[in-house]
Every structure is written in structure tokens, then in C-alpha cells.
Amino acid sequence: MKLENSVVLVTGATGGLGQEFVRQALERGAAKVYAGARRDHDWSDPRVVPLQLDVADPAAIETAAAAAGDLTVLINNAGISGARSLLTGDMTEIRATYETNVFGPLALVRAFAPTLAANGGGAVVDIHSVLSWIATPGAYSSSKAAFWGLTNTLRLELAAQGTQVLGAHFGYVDTPMTAHLPEGTDKSAPEDIAGRVLDALEADEKEVFADALTESVHAGLTGLTTGVFA
């Protein structure tokens, strides 16, 4: 899926990685980028169209779908870290994590699938994590694992209408979301991750392992499962 002359929606567009997706999509020739976010941001490029969008709000998703009838690429980038424990964390916070990280992206794909089909098929990019495959305490890793499974199923269901579905995996990125991590934690630059993800999109890939950590973890998991189903 080439980005030249495409129309892109980036959710979580005002975050560190989201802003990179917006910037680099424009650099690669996107005709328009809808910048979906809960808060305002001063976009200097007239090709950027701000959309007030909380991905956990069905009404906001419906409004976005009505406004962006020319969409060809949906980037499900919005996400939250969520409760620190599934056992003792507040259930409202745990549910909110799943609403943002799993059900919100699903609702967006459902809302925009007819639009993508009408506009030639297009593409969906789902932003996962290396923690899709590694369990950690709290709601985040389990929500990303669920999102990864959802992406794999949607890829099958959207194939008939010619929609590319790309799952993107990577470790920590140097954004405000990871600012609380201990000093010395290995973090990738947002521009590097966004670039690798968009390279994979334009190469018609199904998955991208966008940093060395994720490549290593995936290779290890692949080695563990080799021959299991033989």
C-alpha cells in the first residue's frame, strides 16, 4: 500500500509516535492526514485535518467515520498503559484499558471497513508491542496480546475486500508514555519506529518487527514452536 496520494487516519495523533506517523505519512506523499486525538494540537500543515476522537467513545468513532469518507489507510496507534495489576487494580481502569487498546481499534475497523472497500481496499495498521508475546503484570500486555489476535483474525476477514492488515511490534519508544521508566531503559526513537512501520506498509507486509529486541524475541518464539504442529 503506497502512501503517495493516500488519505490516512492516525489515532493517538498528538502523542510522540502519533506525531511521527502524521509527519512521515505526509513526507511520503499522503494527500491528507486525519489527526485523531482527544486533545487539541497546533498542526502547521494544511493537509492535516484534526479530528476530536476518543477511540473508547462509540459516538466519536461514528462521527469520525462520517467525516472521513475518503479514507484509504487507518493507523490504530492510540493506546494506554492501564492498571498495574489484574488482581488488585481497579476494574474500571482495567476495562478502560481494554476499551482503548482492543475494542476501540475493533470498532474503528468495523466503522471504516466499508469506506476502505469503496476506496479500493486500502490498509489497516495495528500498533502492537513486544509485550503481545510476553506477559507482564497489569492490563497492558494482556490487552496487546488480545489486540494481536484480533488483528490476525481481521486480516482474514478483510482479505476478500483487498484490505492490507499490518501488525506492528516493537519495544519501548522514547515518548511521554515511557517517561516514567528507569533511567537507562533502552528506548527506540519515535522516528525510527514510525519509519520502519511505514516501510513495511509500503512493502505490503503483514507484520513488522520494528526493533532489534522484537526481532530477537520473535526469533526465539519461532524457534520454540518449530515442529510443534509437525
CSV table of all heavy atoms in Angstrom, one decimal, residues 37-99:
chain,number,residue,atom,x,y,z
A,37,ALA,N,-7.4,12.6,17.9
A,37,ALA,CA,-6.9,12.7,19.2
A,37,ALA,C,-7.9,13.3,20.2
A,37,ALA,O,-8.9,13.9,19.7
A,37,ALA,CB,-5.6,13.5,19.3
A,38,ARG,N,-7.7,13.0,21.5
A,38,ARG,CA,-8.7,13.6,22.5
A,38,ARG,C,-8.3,15.0,22.8
A,38,ARG,O,-9.2,15.7,23.3
A,38,ARG,CB,-8.6,12.7,23.7
A,38,ARG,CG,-9.2,11.3,23.6
A,38,ARG,CD,-9.1,10.6,24.9
A,38,ARG,NE,-7.7,10.3,25.3
A,38,ARG,CZ,-7.3,9.7,26.4
A,38,ARG,NH1,-8.3,9.2,27.2
A,38,ARG,NH2,-6.1,9.5,26.7
A,39,ARG,N,-7.1,15.5,22.5
A,39,ARG,CA,-6.7,16.8,22.9
A,39,ARG,C,-6.3,17.6,21.6
A,39,ARG,O,-5.9,17.0,20.6
A,39,ARG,CB,-5.6,16.9,23.9
A,39,ARG,CG,-4.3,16.2,23.5
A,39,ARG,CD,-3.3,16.3,24.6
A,39,ARG,NE,-2.0,15.8,24.2
A,39,ARG,CZ,-1.6,14.6,24.3
A,39,ARG,NH1,-2.4,13.7,24.9
A,39,ARG,NH2,-0.4,14.1,23.9
A,40,ASP,N,-6.4,18.9,21.7
A,40,ASP,CA,-6.1,19.7,20.5
A,40,ASP,C,-4.5,19.8,20.3
A,40,ASP,O,-3.8,19.6,21.2
A,40,ASP,CB,-6.6,21.2,20.7
A,40,ASP,CG,-8.1,21.2,20.8
A,40,ASP,OD1,-8.7,20.3,20.1
A,40,ASP,OD2,-8.7,22.1,21.4
A,41,HIS,N,-4.2,20.1,19.1
A,41,HIS,CA,-2.8,20.2,18.7
A,41,HIS,C,-2.7,21.2,17.6
A,41,HIS,O,-3.5,21.2,16.7
A,41,HIS,CB,-2.1,18.9,18.3
A,41,HIS,CG,-0.7,19.0,18.0
A,41,HIS,ND1,0.3,19.1,19.0
A,41,HIS,CD2,0.0,19.0,16.9
A,41,HIS,CE1,1.5,19.1,18.5
A,41,HIS,NE2,1.3,19.1,17.2
A,42,ASP,N,-1.6,22.0,17.6
A,42,ASP,CA,-1.5,23.0,16.5
A,42,ASP,C,-0.7,22.4,15.4
A,42,ASP,O,0.5,22.3,15.4
A,42,ASP,CB,-0.7,24.2,17.1
A,42,ASP,CG,-0.6,25.4,16.0
A,42,ASP,OD1,-1.4,25.3,15.0
A,42,ASP,OD2,0.2,26.2,16.2
A,43,TRP,N,-1.4,21.9,14.3
A,43,TRP,CA,-0.8,21.3,13.2
A,43,TRP,C,-0.5,22.4,12.2
A,43,TRP,O,-1.4,23.2,11.8
A,43,TRP,CB,-1.7,20.3,12.6
A,43,TRP,CG,-2.1,19.2,13.5
A,43,TRP,CD1,-3.2,19.0,14.2
A,43,TRP,CD2,-1.2,18.1,13.8
A,43,TRP,NE1,-3.2,17.9,15.0
A,43,TRP,CE2,-2.0,17.3,14.7
A,43,TRP,CE3,0.0,17.6,13.4
A,43,TRP,CZ2,-1.5,16.1,15.3
A,43,TRP,CZ3,0.5,16.4,13.9
A,43,TRP,CH2,-0.2,15.7,14.8
A,44,SER,N,0.7,22.5,11.7
A,44,SER,CA,1.1,23.6,10.8
A,44,SER,C,0.8,23.3,9.3
A,44,SER,O,0.8,24.2,8.5
A,44,SER,CB,2.6,23.9,11.0
A,44,SER,OG,3.4,22.8,10.7
A,45,ASP,N,0.6,22.0,9.0
A,45,ASP,CA,0.5,21.7,7.6
A,45,ASP,C,-1.0,21.6,7.3
A,45,ASP,O,-1.8,21.0,7.9
A,45,ASP,CB,1.1,20.3,7.4
A,45,ASP,CG,1.2,19.9,5.9
A,45,ASP,OD1,0.2,20.0,5.1
A,45,ASP,OD2,2.3,19.6,5.5
A,46,PRO,N,-1.5,22.3,6.2
A,46,PRO,CA,-2.9,22.4,5.8
A,46,PRO,C,-3.4,21.0,5.4
A,46,PRO,O,-4.7,20.8,5.3
A,46,PRO,CB,-2.9,23.4,4.7
A,46,PRO,CG,-1.6,23.4,4.1
A,46,PRO,CD,-0.6,23.2,5.3
A,47,ARG,N,-2.6,20.0,5.1
A,47,ARG,CA,-3.0,18.7,4.8
A,47,ARG,C,-3.5,17.9,6.0
A,47,ARG,O,-4.1,16.8,5.8
A,47,ARG,CB,-1.9,18.0,4.0
A,47,ARG,CG,-1.6,18.5,2.6
A,47,ARG,CD,-0.4,17.8,2.1
A,47,ARG,NE,0.8,18.1,2.8
A,47,ARG,CZ,2.0,17.5,2.7
A,47,ARG,NH1,2.1,16.6,1.7
A,47,ARG,NH2,3.1,17.8,3.4
A,48,VAL,N,-3.2,18.4,7.2
A,48,VAL,CA,-3.6,17.7,8.4
A,48,VAL,C,-5.0,18.2,8.8
A,48,VAL,O,-5.2,19.4,9.0
A,48,VAL,CB,-2.6,17.9,9.5
A,48,VAL,CG1,-3.1,17.2,10.8
A,48,VAL,CG2,-1.2,17.4,9.1
A,49,VAL,N,-5.9,17.3,9.0
A,49,VAL,CA,-7.3,17.6,9.4
A,49,VAL,C,-7.5,17.1,10.8
A,49,VAL,O,-7.6,15.8,11.0
A,49,VAL,CB,-8.3,17.0,8.5
A,49,VAL,CG1,-9.7,17.3,8.9
A,49,VAL,CG2,-8.1,17.5,7.0
A,50,PRO,N,-7.6,17.9,11.8
A,50,PRO,CA,-7.8,17.4,13.2
A,50,PRO,C,-9.1,16.8,13.4
A,50,PRO,O,-10.1,17.3,12.9
A,50,PRO,CB,-7.6,18.7,14.1
A,50,PRO,CG,-7.0,19.7,13.2
A,50,PRO,CD,-7.4,19.4,11.8
A,51,LEU,N,-9.2,15.7,14.1
A,51,LEU,CA,-10.5,15.1,14.5
A,51,LEU,C,-10.5,14.8,16.0
A,51,LEU,O,-9.6,14.2,16.5
A,51,LEU,CB,-10.6,13.7,13.8
A,51,LEU,CG,-11.0,13.6,12.3
A,51,LEU,CD1,-11.1,12.2,11.9
A,51,LEU,CD2,-12.3,14.3,12.1
A,52,GLN,N,-11.5,15.3,16.6
A,52,GLN,CA,-11.7,15.0,18.1
A,52,GLN,C,-12.1,13.6,18.1
A,52,GLN,O,-13.2,13.2,17.7
A,52,GLN,CB,-12.7,15.9,18.7
A,52,GLN,CG,-12.2,17.3,19.0
A,52,GLN,CD,-11.3,17.4,20.1
A,52,GLN,OE1,-11.4,16.6,21.1
A,52,GLN,NE2,-10.3,18.3,20.1
A,53,LEU,N,-11.2,12.7,18.7
A,53,LEU,CA,-11.5,11.3,18.6
A,53,LEU,C,-11.0,10.6,19.9
A,53,LEU,O,-9.8,10.4,20.1
A,53,LEU,CB,-10.9,10.6,17.4
A,53,LEU,CG,-11.1,9.1,17.2
A,53,LEU,CD1,-12.6,8.8,17.1
A,53,LEU,CD2,-10.4,8.7,15.9
A,54,ASP,N,-11.9,10.1,20.7
A,54,ASP,CA,-11.6,9.2,21.8
A,54,ASP,C,-12.0,7.8,21.3
A,54,ASP,O,-13.2,7.5,21.0
A,54,ASP,CB,-12.4,9.6,23.0
A,54,ASP,CG,-12.2,8.7,24.2
A,54,ASP,OD1,-11.6,7.6,24.0
A,54,ASP,OD2,-12.6,9.0,25.3
A,55,VAL,N,-11.1,6.9,21.1
A,55,VAL,CA,-11.3,5.6,20.5
A,55,VAL,C,-12.2,4.7,21.4
A,55,VAL,O,-12.7,3.7,20.9
A,55,VAL,CB,-10.1,4.9,20.1
A,55,VAL,CG1,-9.2,5.7,19.2
A,55,VAL,CG2,-9.2,4.5,21.3
A,56,ALA,N,-12.4,5.1,22.6
A,56,ALA,CA,-13.3,4.4,23.5
A,56,ALA,C,-14.7,4.9,23.5
A,56,ALA,O,-15.6,4.4,24.3
A,56,ALA,CB,-12.7,4.4,24.9
A,57,ASP,N,-15.0,5.9,22.7
A,57,ASP,CA,-16.3,6.5,22.6
A,57,ASP,C,-17.0,6.1,21.3
A,57,ASP,O,-16.6,6.6,20.2
A,57,ASP,CB,-16.1,8.0,22.7
A,57,ASP,CG,-17.5,8.8,22.6
A,57,ASP,OD1,-18.5,8.1,22.4
A,57,ASP,OD2,-17.4,10.0,22.8
A,58,PRO,N,-18.0,5.3,21.3
A,58,PRO,CA,-18.6,4.8,20.0
A,58,PRO,C,-19.2,6.0,19.2
A,58,PRO,O,-19.1,6.0,18.0
A,58,PRO,CB,-19.7,3.9,20.5
A,58,PRO,CG,-19.3,3.4,21.8
A,58,PRO,CD,-18.5,4.5,22.4
A,59,ALA,N,-19.7,7.0,19.9
A,59,ALA,CA,-20.3,8.2,19.2
A,59,ALA,C,-19.2,8.9,18.4
A,59,ALA,O,-19.4,9.4,17.3
A,59,ALA,CB,-21.0,9.1,20.1
A,60,ALA,N,-18.0,9.1,19.1
A,60,ALA,CA,-16.9,9.8,18.4
A,60,ALA,C,-16.4,9.0,17.2
A,60,ALA,O,-16.0,9.6,16.2
A,60,ALA,CB,-15.8,10.0,19.4
A,61,ILE,N,-16.4,7.7,17.3
A,61,ILE,CA,-16.0,6.8,16.1
A,61,ILE,C,-17.0,7.0,15.0
A,61,ILE,O,-16.6,7.1,13.8
A,61,ILE,CB,-15.9,5.4,16.6
A,61,ILE,CG1,-14.7,5.2,17.5
A,61,ILE,CG2,-15.7,4.5,15.3
A,61,ILE,CD1,-14.5,3.8,18.1
A,62,GLU,N,-18.3,7.0,15.3
A,62,GLU,CA,-19.3,7.2,14.3
A,62,GLU,C,-19.1,8.5,13.6
A,62,GLU,O,-19.2,8.6,12.4
A,62,GLU,CB,-20.7,7.1,14.9
A,62,GLU,CG,-21.8,7.2,13.9
A,62,GLU,CD,-23.2,7.0,14.6
A,62,GLU,OE1,-23.2,6.5,15.8
A,62,GLU,OE2,-24.2,7.3,14.0
A,63,THR,N,-18.9,9.6,14.4
A,63,THR,CA,-18.6,10.9,13.8
A,63,THR,C,-17.4,10.9,12.9
A,63,THR,O,-17.4,11.5,11.8
A,63,THR,CB,-18.5,11.9,14.9
A,63,THR,OG1,-19.7,12.0,15.7
A,63,THR,CG2,-18.2,13.3,14.4
A,64,ALA,N,-16.3,10.3,13.3
A,64,ALA,CA,-15.1,10.2,12.5
A,64,ALA,C,-15.3,9.5,11.2
A,64,ALA,O,-14.9,9.9,10.2
A,64,ALA,CB,-14.0,9.6,13.3
A,65,ALA,N,-16.1,8.4,11.3
A,65,ALA,CA,-16.3,7.6,10.1
A,65,ALA,C,-17.2,8.4,9.1
A,65,ALA,O,-16.9,8.4,7.8
A,65,ALA,CB,-17.1,6.3,10.4
A,66,ALA,N,-18.1,9.3,9.6
A,66,ALA,CA,-18.9,10.1,8.7
A,66,ALA,C,-18.1,11.2,8.1
A,66,ALA,O,-18.3,11.6,6.9
A,66,ALA,CB,-20.1,10.7,9.5
A,67,ALA,N,-17.0,11.7,8.8
A,67,ALA,CA,-16.2,12.8,8.4
A,67,ALA,C,-15.2,12.4,7.4
A,67,ALA,O,-14.7,13.2,6.5
A,67,ALA,CB,-15.6,13.5,9.5
A,68,ALA,N,-14.7,11.2,7.5
A,68,ALA,CA,-13.5,10.7,6.7
A,68,ALA,C,-13.9,9.7,5.7
A,68,ALA,O,-13.4,8.6,5.6
A,68,ALA,CB,-12.5,10.2,7.6
A,69,GLY,N,-14.8,10.0,4.8
A,69,GLY,CA,-15.3,9.1,3.8
A,69,GLY,C,-14.3,8.8,2.7
A,69,GLY,O,-14.6,7.9,1.8
A,70,ASP,N,-13.2,9.6,2.7
A,70,ASP,CA,-12.2,9.4,1.6
A,70,ASP,C,-11.0,8.6,2.1
A,70,ASP,O,-10.0,8.4,1.5
A,70,ASP,CB,-11.7,10.7,1.1
A,70,ASP,CG,-11.3,11.7,2.2
A,70,ASP,OD1,-11.5,11.4,3.4
A,70,ASP,OD2,-10.8,12.8,1.9
A,71,LEU,N,-11.1,8.0,3.3
A,71,LEU,CA,-10.0,7.3,3.9
A,71,LEU,C,-9.5,6.1,3.1
A,71,LEU,O,-10.3,5.3,2.6
A,71,LEU,CB,-10.4,6.8,5.3
A,71,LEU,CG,-9.3,6.3,6.2
A,71,LEU,CD1,-8.5,7.5,6.7
A,71,LEU,CD2,-9.8,5.6,7.4
A,72,THR,N,-8.2,5.9,3.1
A,72,THR,CA,-7.6,4.7,2.5
A,72,THR,C,-6.6,4.0,3.4
A,72,THR,O,-6.3,2.8,3.2
A,72,THR,CB,-6.8,5.1,1.2
A,72,THR,OG1,-5.8,6.0,1.5
A,72,THR,CG2,-7.8,5.7,0.1
A,73,VAL,N,-6.2,4.6,4.5
A,73,VAL,CA,-5.3,4.0,5.5
A,73,VAL,C,-5.7,4.4,6.9
A,73,VAL,O,-5.7,5.5,7.2
A,73,VAL,CB,-3.8,4.4,5.3
A,73,VAL,CG1,-2.9,3.7,6.3
A,73,VAL,CG2,-3.3,4.1,3.9
A,74,LEU,N,-5.9,3.4,7.7
A,74,LEU,CA,-6.3,3.6,9.1
A,74,LEU,C,-5.1,3.1,10.0
A,74,LEU,O,-4.7,1.9,9.9
A,74,LEU,CB,-7.5,2.8,9.5
A,74,LEU,CG,-7.9,2.7,11.0
A,74,LEU,CD1,-8.1,4.0,11.6
A,74,LEU,CD2,-9.1,1.7,11.2
A,75,ILE,N,-4.5,3.9,10.8
A,75,ILE,CA,-3.4,3.6,11.7
A,75,ILE,C,-4.0,3.6,13.1
A,75,ILE,O,-4.2,4.7,13.7
A,75,ILE,CB,-2.2,4.5,11.5
A,75,ILE,CG1,-1.7,4.4,10.1
A,75,ILE,CG2,-1.1,4.0,12.5
A,75,ILE,CD1,-0.5,5.3,9.8
A,76,ASN,N,-4.2,2.4,13.7
A,76,ASN,CA,-4.7,2.3,15.0
A,76,ASN,C,-3.5,2.4,16.0
A,76,ASN,O,-2.9,1.4,16.4
A,76,ASN,CB,-5.4,0.9,15.2
A,76,ASN,CG,-6.8,0.9,14.7
A,76,ASN,OD1,-7.5,1.9,15.0
A,76,ASN,ND2,-7.2,-0.1,14.0
A,77,ASN,N,-3.1,3.6,16.4
A,77,ASN,CA,-2.0,3.9,17.2
A,77,ASN,C,-2.3,4.2,18.6
A,77,ASN,O,-1.5,4.0,19.5
A,77,ASN,CB,-1.2,5.1,16.5
A,77,ASN,CG,-0.1,5.6,17.4
A,77,ASN,OD1,0.9,5.0,17.7
A,77,ASN,ND2,-0.3,6.8,18.0
A,78,ALA,N,-3.5,4.7,18.9
A,78,ALA,CA,-3.8,5.1,20.3
A,78,ALA,C,-3.8,3.9,21.2
A,78,ALA,O,-4.2,2.8,20.9
A,78,ALA,CB,-5.2,5.7,20.3
A,79,GLY,N,-3.3,4.2,22.4
A,79,GLY,CA,-3.2,3.1,23.4
A,79,GLY,C,-2.9,3.7,24.8
A,79,GLY,O,-2.3,4.8,24.9
A,80,ILE,N,-3.2,3.0,25.9
A,80,ILE,CA,-2.9,3.4,27.2
A,80,ILE,C,-2.2,2.3,28.0
A,80,ILE,O,-2.4,1.1,27.6
A,80,ILE,CB,-4.1,3.9,28.0
A,80,ILE,CG1,-5.2,2.8,28.1
A,80,ILE,CG2,-4.7,5.2,27.3
A,80,ILE,CD1,-6.4,3.2,28.9
A,81,SER,N,-1.5,2.6,29.0
A,81,SER,CA,-0.7,1.6,29.8
A,81,SER,C,-1.6,0.8,30.7
A,81,SER,O,-1.4,-0.4,31.0
A,81,SER,CB,0.4,2.2,30.5
A,81,SER,OG,0.0,3.2,31.3
A,82,GLY,N,-2.6,1.5,31.3
A,82,GLY,CA,-3.6,0.8,32.1
A,82,GLY,C,-3.2,0.4,33.5
A,82,GLY,O,-2.1,0.8,34.0
A,83,ALA,N,-4.0,-0.4,34.2
A,83,ALA,CA,-3.8,-0.8,35.6
A,83,ALA,C,-2.6,-1.6,35.7
A,83,ALA,O,-2.2,-2.4,34.9
A,83,ALA,CB,-5.0,-1.6,36.1
A,84,ARG,N,-1.9,-1.5,36.9
A,84,ARG,CA,-0.6,-2.2,37.1
A,84,ARG,C,-0.8,-3.6,37.6
A,84,ARG,O,0.1,-4.4,37.7
A,84,ARG,CB,0.2,-1.4,38.2
A,84,ARG,CG,0.6,0.0,37.7
A,84,ARG,CD,1.5,0.0,36.5
A,84,ARG,NE,1.9,1.4,36.1
A,84,ARG,CZ,2.9,2.1,36.6
A,84,ARG,NH1,3.7,1.5,37.5
A,84,ARG,NH2,3.2,3.3,36.1
A,85,SER,N,-2.0,-4.0,38.0
A,85,SER,CA,-2.3,-5.3,38.4
A,85,SER,C,-3.7,-5.8,38.0
A,85,SER,O,-4.7,-5.0,38.2
A,85,SER,CB,-2.1,-5.4,40.0
A,85,SER,OG,-2.6,-6.7,40.4
A,86,LEU,N,-3.8,-7.0,37.5
A,86,LEU,CA,-5.1,-7.5,37.2
A,86,LEU,C,-5.8,-8.0,38.5
A,86,LEU,O,-7.0,-8.1,38.5
A,86,LEU,CB,-5.0,-8.7,36.2
A,86,LEU,CG,-4.5,-8.4,34.8
A,86,LEU,CD1,-4.4,-9.6,33.9
A,86,LEU,CD2,-5.5,-7.4,34.1
A,87,LEU,N,-5.1,-8.4,39.5
A,87,LEU,CA,-5.7,-8.9,40.7
A,87,LEU,C,-6.1,-7.8,41.6
A,87,LEU,O,-7.2,-7.9,42.2
A,87,LEU,CB,-4.6,-9.8,41.5
A,87,LEU,CG,-4.4,-11.1,40.9
A,87,LEU,CD1,-3.3,-11.8,41.7
A,87,LEU,CD2,-5.6,-12.0,40.8
A,88,THR,N,-5.4,-6.7,41.8
A,88,THR,CA,-5.7,-5.7,42.7
A,88,THR,C,-6.1,-4.3,42.1
A,88,THR,O,-6.5,-3.4,42.8
A,88,THR,CB,-4.5,-5.5,43.7
A,88,THR,OG1,-3.4,-5.0,43.0
A,88,THR,CG2,-4.2,-6.7,44.5
A,89,GLY,N,-5.8,-4.2,40.8
A,89,GLY,CA,-6.1,-3.0,40.1
A,89,GLY,C,-7.6,-2.7,40.0
A,89,GLY,O,-8.4,-3.6,40.1
A,90,ASP,N,-8.0,-1.5,39.9
A,90,ASP,CA,-9.4,-1.1,39.8
A,90,ASP,C,-10.0,-1.7,38.5
A,90,ASP,O,-9.5,-1.5,37.4
A,90,ASP,CB,-9.5,0.4,39.8
A,90,ASP,CG,-11.0,0.9,39.7
A,90,ASP,OD1,-11.7,0.8,40.8
A,90,ASP,OD2,-11.4,1.3,38.6
A,91,MET,N,-11.1,-2.4,38.6
A,91,MET,CA,-11.7,-3.0,37.5
A,91,MET,C,-12.2,-2.0,36.4
A,91,MET,O,-12.1,-2.3,35.2
A,91,MET,CB,-12.9,-3.9,37.9
A,91,MET,CG,-12.5,-5.3,38.4
A,91,MET,SD,-11.6,-6.2,37.1
A,91,MET,CE,-12.9,-6.4,35.8
A,92,THR,N,-12.6,-0.8,36.8
A,92,THR,CA,-12.9,0.2,35.9
A,92,THR,C,-11.7,0.6,35.0
A,92,THR,O,-11.9,0.8,33.8
A,92,THR,CB,-13.5,1.5,36.6
A,92,THR,OG1,-14.6,1.1,37.4
A,92,THR,CG2,-13.8,2.6,35.6
A,93,GLU,N,-10.6,0.7,35.6
A,93,GLU,CA,-9.3,1.0,34.9
A,93,GLU,C,-8.9,-0.1,34.0
A,93,GLU,O,-8.5,0.1,32.8
A,93,GLU,CB,-8.2,1.4,35.9
A,93,GLU,CG,-7.0,1.9,35.2
A,93,GLU,CD,-5.8,2.3,36.1
A,93,GLU,OE1,-6.1,2.2,37.4
A,93,GLU,OE2,-4.8,2.6,35.7
A,94,ILE,N,-9.1,-1.3,34.4
A,94,ILE,CA,-8.8,-2.5,33.6
A,94,ILE,C,-9.7,-2.5,32.4
A,94,ILE,O,-9.3,-2.7,31.2
A,94,ILE,CB,-8.9,-3.8,34.4
A,94,ILE,CG1,-7.8,-3.8,35.5
A,94,ILE,CG2,-8.8,-5.0,33.5
A,94,ILE,CD1,-8.0,-4.9,36.5
A,95,ARG,N,-11.0,-2.3,32.6
A,95,ARG,CA,-11.9,-2.3,31.5
A,95,ARG,C,-11.6,-1.2,30.5
A,95,ARG,O,-11.7,-1.3,29.3
A,95,ARG,CB,-13.4,-2.2,32.0
A,95,ARG,CG,-13.9,-3.4,32.7
A,95,ARG,CD,-15.3,-3.2,33.2
A,95,ARG,NE,-15.8,-4.2,34.1
A,95,ARG,CZ,-16.2,-5.4,33.6
A,95,ARG,NH1,-16.3,-5.6,32.3
A,95,ARG,NH2,-16.6,-6.3,34.5
A,96,ALA,N,-11.2,0.0,31.0
A,96,ALA,CA,-10.9,1.1,30.2
A,96,ALA,C,-9.6,0.8,29.3
A,96,ALA,O,-9.6,1.2,28.2
A,96,ALA,CB,-10.6,2.4,31.0
A,97,THR,N,-8.7,0.0,29.9
A,97,THR,CA,-7.5,-0.4,29.1
A,97,THR,C,-7.9,-1.2,27.9
A,97,THR,O,-7.5,-1.0,26.8
A,97,THR,CB,-6.5,-1.2,30.0
A,97,THR,OG1,-6.2,-0.4,31.1
A,97,THR,CG2,-5.3,-1.5,29.2
A,98,TYR,N,-8.8,-2.1,28.1
A,98,TYR,CA,-9.3,-3.0,27.0
A,98,TYR,C,-10.2,-2.2,26.0
A,98,TYR,O,-10.1,-2.4,24.8
A,98,TYR,CB,-10.1,-4.2,27.6
A,98,TYR,CG,-9.1,-5.3,27.9
A,98,TYR,CD1,-8.4,-5.3,29.0
A,98,TYR,CD2,-9.0,-6.4,27.0
A,98,TYR,CE1,-7.5,-6.4,29.3
A,98,TYR,CE2,-8.1,-7.5,27.3
A,98,TYR,CZ,-7.4,-7.4,28.5
A,98,TYR,OH,-6.5,-8.5,28.8
A,99,GLU,N,-10.9,-1.3,26.5
A,99,GLU,CA,-11.8,-0.4,25.6
A,99,GLU,C,-10.9,0.4,24.7
A,99,GLU,O,-11.2,0.5,23.5
A,99,GLU,CB,-12.6,0.5,26.4
A,99,GLU,CG,-13.8,-0.1,27.1
A,99,GLU,CD,-14.9,-0.7,26.2
A,99,GLU,OE1,-14.9,-0.2,25.0
A,99,GLU,OE2,-15.6,-1.5,26.6
